[in-house]
Amino acid sequence: MDGVHLDKARALPADVAELSRRLPELSELFGVAVFVPRIPRVRARIFVPEPLCAEDPATGSAALAIAGWLAHVQELGAEPTRFDIVQGSAELGLSHLRVQA
């Protein structure tokens, strides 16, 4: 999935809520983070099973988790790497979070 397709994703709280029913190991599911890990600009969307707020356009805790995961799997090296996480949608607004891992 690239950033263009991620921009077209729809926030469907019923679909997110259904995940925990279909997969019991996700019984305490609070949301789903989807991201395209292309440093230096990571594109992210966070969907939650809430009818009134199906998508969170700015989640600092999700950005921290994404940054930690990228540091681990991408072997960023000993020196800190700075990059941006762009989260949200044109409809809800975009947040730009600068992180260092």
Side-chain angles (χ1 to χ4, degrees):
M1 177 178 281
D2 59 27
V4 173
H5 290 101
L6 188 58
D7 289 337
K8 294 179 181 180
R10 293 181 300 145
L12 300 172
D15 290 347
V16 175
E18 182 65 22
L19 286 174
S20 62
R21 286 190 285 279
R22 288 185 179 194
L23 302 167
E25 61 272 20
L26 298 178
S27 64
E28 295 186 30
L29 177 74
F30 295 105
V32 175
V34 182
F35 58 96
V36 179
R38 293 195 181 126
I39 293 174
R41 185 178 184 267
V42 176
R43 184 69 179 89
R45 307 259 321 255
I46 310 299
F47 303 104
V48 295
E50 294 293 329
L52 298 178
C53 178
E55 181 173 0
D56 192 337
T59 310
S61 58
L64 288 173
I66 291 169
W69 181 83
L70 285 171
H72 178 71
V73 301
Q74 301 241 345
E75 299 177 4
L76 297 179
E79 295 299 315
T81 299
R82 292 178 185 87
F83 53 94
D84 292 323
I85 297 178
V86 179
Q87 183 180 325
S89 66
E91 182 182 314
L92 289 173
L94 295 171
S95 64
H96 298 261
L97 300 109
R98 170 110 346 127
V99 298
Q100 178 175 306

